[in-house]
Amino acid sequence: MRCIFCKCDSTNSKSVEHILPESLGNKSHILRPGIVCDHCNNYLAREVEKPFLENSSIRELRFEEGILSKKGRIPTVDGVLIENRKLSPISLSRPSEFPGSMLAQNPLIFEFKDGVKPSSKGKILIPKFDISMSLPNGTTLSRFLGKIALEVLALRLSEHPEGIDYLIDEVQLDDLRNHVRYGRITDWPCSVRQIYDKNIPLFDDQTGELYQVINEFDILLTEHSEYYLVLAIFGIEFVINMGGAEISGYYDWLRQNNNKSPLYVNLKEHNQKCLEKFMI
């Protein structure tokens, strides 16, 4: 076996690879050992995933939604105590035995900083996630999305006997591979927008139950033979071009499709039509 990132022998690798981090609610989208070698697995967790997850806005989102980390903890955030017109910084945490959203119904634990000793009265300001705040950008975002894009391709291609070898040997993916693994190409633009409110539950026609979408993803193929990863995390859509450091083709696709997210069109049928067009 060879690793899809460094292309080195990964036959003896023992670690599974989570396509999305467990700290974003992923428990099921996993690559078997060897598709990503142990060395790249550790590097990507430390240098690619961690900077994204530790972004203050993403931490607030994980705190607000009560998403457990790989170690079974909900991240802490900074808050403020207002008491007698005085502002005191505090650290807020949530017990791991109460995961999930609906923050107001779950207990909070807070610690005071700088030796503050408050009285029993006061108000606590809790940070609230807002997409207009500073989401990850630049290489923090593009390397994170590129890592997921290559692994989504690996997940799809692993169903075919020669699929992983094709992914490794495809030179058109080397720029993205090198961007993710080695930080080459410093400017790789991505698209970020909100496509639905994370606090509005969706209705399942089959079960009659309400549910919340934590994450979802798919691959978009355009009529210009461009492949895009389309990922949504709590209603925020992230898109990256797998074949080159440009995003204009995705904006063209949106204009042609009334700005509807590819996640909510029949992508299987759409992509098949594009493939048939290329073959003519």
Side-chain angles (χ1 to χ4, degrees):
M1 295 186 70
R2 291 180 295 158
C3 173
I4 65 172
F5 288 101
C6 67
K7 302 189 179 185
C8 295
D9 186 351
S10 58
T11 306
N12 296 321
S13 293
K14 303 183 184 307
S15 302
V16 298
E17 171 71 6
H18 286 75
I19 295 176
L20 272 76
E22 292 178 82
S23 297
L24 288 176
N26 175 36
K27 304 296 183 184
S28 57
H29 301 299
I30 300 171
L31 297 176
R32 66 178 184 270
I35 292 181
V36 178
C37 71
D38 289 346
H39 184 63
C40 285
N41 184 303
N42 292 331
Y43 174 87
L44 294 170
R46 184 180 67 252
E47 302 295 335
V48 176
E49 293 180 338
K50 186 177 180 180
F52 182 91
L53 294 171
E54 290 302 308
N55 170 270
S56 59
S57 294
I58 298 299
R59 283 183 66 91
E60 289 167 9
L61 175 63
R62 293 165 58 207
F63 174 85
E64 187 174 314
E65 297 299 330
I67 306 176
L68 297 175
S69 68
K70 185 176 182 179
K71 296 181 179 179
R73 302 169 185 165
I74 298 172
T76 60
V77 295
D78 293 330
V80 175
L81 171 71
I82 303 177
E83 184 183 38
N84 298 326
R85 298 183 180 180
K86 180 181 178 182
L87 304 181
S88 301
I90 57 176
S91 178
L92 295 160
S93 61
R94 294 179 55 185
S96 58
E97 58 266 33
F98 297 99
S101 56
M102 297 181 292
L103 184 60
Q105 299 182 27
N106 288 327
L108 283 174
I109 300 173
F110 53 90
E111 297 178 358
F112 295 93
K113 299 181 178 181
D114 304 323
V116 175
K117 294 182 178 180
S119 66
S120 58
K121 295 182 179 181
K123 294 182 179 180
I124 294 176
L125 293 183
I126 302 172
K128 181 177 176 58
F129 174 78
D130 188 335
I131 190 174
S132 64
M133 298 171 66
S134 181
L135 286 168
N137 54 31
T139 56
T140 297
L141 177 60
S142 58
R143 294 181 75 193
F144 178 76
L145 294 181
K147 177 257 184 197
I148 294 172
L150 290 168
E151 292 181 356
V152 168
L153 282 178
L155 182 67
R156 302 282 175 87
L157 293 172
S158 63
E159 301 172 1
H160 306 280
E162 306 298 326
I164 297 300
D165 284 337
Y166 168 79
L167 174 59
I168 294 169
D169 296 329
E170 179 51 68
V171 295
Q172 291 187 15
L173 294 172
D174 282 346
D175 281 348
L176 183 61
R177 202 184 330 263
N178 291 330
H179 177 64
V180 173
R181 184 60 181 84
Y182 305 108
R184 297 171 188 168
I185 305 179
T186 56
D187 184 17
W188 199 299
C190 303
S191 171
V192 181
R193 62 176 185 151
Q194 186 172 27
I195 56 175
Y196 54 81
D197 188 335
K198 67 182 179 61
N199 295 314
I200 298 178
L202 302 179
F203 182 77
D204 190 320
D205 293 329
Q206 296 181 346
T207 65
E209 297 179 351
L210 296 175
Y211 66 95
Q212 182 184 38
V213 177
I214 298 176
N215 57 67
E216 53 186 329
F217 57 81
D218 211 332
I219 295 172
L220 168 68
L221 170 61
T222 72
E223 60 182 9
H224 301 295
S225 191
E226 296 172 314
Y227 284 82
Y228 292 89
L229 169 77
V230 185
L231 165 71
I233 302 174
F234 285 108
I236 305 172
E237 180 197 78
F238 301 92
V239 180
I240 188 170
N241 185 346
M242 301 185 198
E246 65 85 28
I247 197 68
S248 60
Y250 180 64
Y251 295 141
D252 290 340
W253 187 92
L254 285 178
R255 282 190 288 270
Q256 295 168 10
N257 291 272
N258 299 316
N259 285 320
K260 191 171 184 178
S261 173
L263 295 172
Y264 292 91
V265 300
N266 189 336
L267 271 187
K268 185 176 181 179
E269 179 180 325
H270 168 82
N271 289 347
Q272 183 60 38
K273 288 181 179 179
C274 287
L275 284 173
E276 291 171 355
K277 181 178 179 180
F278 301 151
M279 294 176 183
I280 295 175

